[in-house]
Amino acid sequence: MNSSTEALSTHPTDCAEVQVPNQVFMAIAVASLSENILVIVAVIKNRNLHSPMYCFICNLAVFNTISSLFKALENILLLFKEAGHLNSLRLFELNIDDIMDSLLCMCFLGSIFSILTIAVDRYISIFHALRYHTLMTMRRVVVMLSTIWVLCGTSGVLMIGFFEAATVKIFFVVPFFTALLFILLLYVHMFLLARHHANRIASMPGLHARQRQSGLRGALTLTILIGVFVACWAPFCPHLLIMMICPENPYCECYRSLFQLHVVLLVSHAVTDPAIYAFRSTELRNTYKKMFLCSASRIFKECV
Amino acid sequence: MPRFQHLNSTSIPNHNYEWSYEYYDDEEPVSFEGLKAHRYSIVIGFWVGLAVFVIFMFFVLTLLTKTGAPHPEATEPYEKRMRLTSCAEGLGRQREADTRTSLSRPLLEESRSFFHCYINEEEREGGRATAGAAHGCTGSGDSRNQVETVGLAVQSMVMDTRAEREAALLAHFNIPNFVNSELNSVLGDEDLLLGDPPIIMEEARPRCTHHIID
């Protein structure tokens, strides 16, 4: 009965697979779910935030919400399995795992593309300032977002359906690296322009230079933005490459043993995304203050 | 990836489902004998490479902030600055007089005169479009707006390219989620682009945007 499980559990290897407890996944999934739902609610409630920039941020939050929701669902199903409740459920004859995998794949691709669209939007708003409102109409934003959703949805389904083919794995790695390259180029160009402006202002007579400090903070913020993106996403890509290139090499085997750790990193990116993109906006923070103050005052009035 | 294994499903429907992370289908054991380097060398190499990349990027960016050399065409804008600073000085004197009386109307008129001064300079450069936009939006603001306008125009004079001037002028007109507020959110710094004082971009001003967009 347990022939295949026997082979899996007694697989002799010096690099034992690092197991991450389910509670860690659950905690990260719940934290990311709550943060991203807050972002979505704030963007929908405040009419000032119905602009292209915040549409892209909200889109990123939606992808992160779906991915953390399904990660949490997966963990709940694992908990049920360990408790022994799943044996009687017939509906799991369907390939629930395949559906979940394709949804997760769609969400991961979607968040990469959303981050890219946010960078492109900021770039256009800085370098094509006068034409920004003609370039970024709401209609074009809707078209872009629906294109991203359709592309990611079909890619998710195809990638899991045809996961064995090597082209599929390449199709995940190549967009990631091109997206990373574009993001790097766009942000560094924006940073250079900001530095140029700051230097020109510093050379004005009568202004004392606080520019060193502000320049350092700008560099730090940009490094954090790119660094977190790379640290969360990059470790996952070699797994796909290793499966194609060196499935039997012991060194590659040791890298593959850290798979669950790298999935934790991937999921934790959904927690850091709102902190990097959404919560830096003062308008969004003010929306939260109003929301919580209003609900607190309402509760207070009901109690008193 | 988690996967359900349906075992022994030939004749009798067997409901012994196994839920496990079936990541690798290969059954051959990987031999670990005769390894020359440490077994986690790929992992270590990967993370070291990543850390080097991030730190290198940080150092490059900080180096760019430290070596803020003045623009090579520094002589020409200096003359421009001298010419336009006279406008600012005249304005400064007027503002001092006005703050004593603390009336908003003198501020409005002084701003108009300041803009005339600025617009004259602009027209000499040939930037008629921005002058038209700037002129159109002058009258539709309160006193705080005028102070902001003054600060913005003074700063915008030292910018060489027309595009930069346009960006700064346009930034004043509070198009929501525009250059300054969004660059602020990118780089987390209020005075990266504009110096003292930072211009607040919170409220939308649809009247001014219509002047420009239509």
Side-chain angles (χ1 to χ4, degrees), chain A:
Chain A
M1 174 174 100
N2 289 328
S3 53
S4 11
T5 50
E6 232 176 66
L8 280 169
S9 58
T10 60
H11 201 182
T13 169
D14 276 352
C15 288
E17 185 166 349
V18 173
Q19 301 280 345
V20 175
N22 282 340
Q23 290 82 1
V24 173
F25 277 114
M26 200 63 187
I28 293 176
V30 165
S32 118
L33 199 65
S34 46
E35 277 186 4
N36 286 292
I37 283 179
L38 268 179
V39 170
I40 295 170
V41 162
V43 169
I44 288 173
K45 278 189 86 163
N46 188 352
R47 296 208 65 85
N48 285 344
L49 300 177
H50 292 182
S51 66
M53 175 75 196
Y54 287 102
C55 281
F56 292 131
I57 289 180
C58 187
N59 183 48
L60 177 66
V62 168
F63 276 120
N64 286 335
T65 306
I66 295 175
S67 75
S68 43
L69 193 69
F70 278 96
K71 208 79 189 110
L73 208 67
E74 200 176 65
N75 277 302
I76 291 172
L77 285 172
L78 271 169
L79 285 172
F80 278 171
K81 176 255 173 184
E82 278 165 22
H85 293 306
L86 283 184
N87 297 334
S88 54
L89 285 173
R90 280 184 181 271
L91 66 97
F92 288 104
E93 290 179 26
L94 302 169
N95 284 331
I96 283 273
D97 55 339
D98 276 345
I99 295 173
M100 280 203 189
D101 285 345
S102 43
L103 275 166
L104 282 171
C105 201
M106 173 187 94
C107 292
F108 292 150
L109 278 174
S111 40
I112 292 178
F113 284 129
S114 298
I115 292 170
L116 186 61
T117 53
I118 290 173
V120 166
D121 175 71
R122 285 173 174 173
Y123 188 83
I124 292 176
S125 77
I126 286 171
F127 285 95
H128 300 278
L130 264 193
R131 294 185 293 150
Y132 177 78
H133 272 271
T134 52
L135 283 172
M136 277 289 179
T137 55
M138 280 312 282
R139 193 167 164 273
R140 281 197 191 153
V141 167
V142 167
V143 165
M144 277 169 69
L145 292 182
S146 28
T147 315
I148 287 175
W149 275 89
V150 165
L151 195 69
C152 295
T154 46
S155 310
V157 168
L158 287 175
M159 279 172 69
I160 299 302
F162 300 103
F163 193 63
E164 310 306 320
T167 46
V168 165
K169 291 161 192 151
I170 292 177
F171 187 68
F172 188 85
V173 173
V174 165
F176 167 71
F177 279 111
T178 40
L180 177 64
L181 197 67
F182 267 118
I183 287 167
L184 209 60
L185 287 173
L186 292 173
Y187 277 120
V188 167
H189 197 191
M190 284 192 258
F191 181 80
L192 289 176
L193 179 73
R195 283 285 87 220
H196 179 66
H197 279 195
N199 291 335
R200 299 214 61 76
I201 291 157
S203 56
M204 259 184 76
L207 281 183
H208 64 281
R210 282 195 292 150
Q211 307 306 323
R212 298 261 182 263
Q213 228 180 29
S214 67
L216 211 63
R217 275 178 59 197
L220 192 66
T221 309
L222 196 55
T223 308
I224 288 173
L225 196 148
I226 306 259
V228 164
F229 179 74
V230 167
C232 289
W233 287 96
F236 188 74
C237 293
H239 282 284
L240 300 172
L241 293 171
I242 278 172
M243 273 160 68
M244 286 190 292
I245 297 171
C246 58
E248 286 164 33
N249 191 323
Y251 298 112
C252 297
E253 170 76 19
C254 285
Y255 188 88
R256 288 177 349 184
S257 66
L258 301 176
F259 178 71
Q260 288 198 30
L261 273 177
H262 295 153
V263 172
V264 167
L265 275 176
L266 208 59
V267 176
S268 65
H269 192 242
V271 176
T272 53
D273 266 345
I276 291 175
Y277 290 101
F279 295 155
R280 296 198 82 108
S281 155
T282 35
E283 182 74 32
L284 207 82
R285 289 201 297 261
N286 290 341
T287 314
Y288 289 136
K289 277 184 212 157
K290 280 182 210 155
M291 270 166 49
F292 291 132
L293 285 175
C294 283
S295 54
S297 64
R298 239 184 291 135
I299 292 167
F300 180 68
K301 279 176 196 159
E302 280 164 25
C303 291
V304 168

Side-chain angles (χ1 to χ4, degrees), chain B residues 95-115:
Chain B
R95 272 176 65 193
E96 280 169 24
D98 290 331
T99 44
R100 271 181 247 126
T101 56
S102 65
L103 290 170
S104 61
R105 267 194 92 74
L107 273 176
L108 195 74
E109 285 163 2
E110 142 232 315
S111 254
R112 280 224 185 88
S113 65
F114 184 74
F115 258 101

Side-chain angles (χ1 to χ4, degrees), chain A residues 4-5 8, chain B residues 3-7 16-20 22:
Chain A
S4 11
T5 50
L8 280 169
Chain B
R3 189 176 291 275
F4 274 112
Q5 301 166 30
H6 196 192
L7 307 166
N16 294 323
Y17 287 104
E18 273 307 313
W19 177 278
S20 60
E22 190 188 293

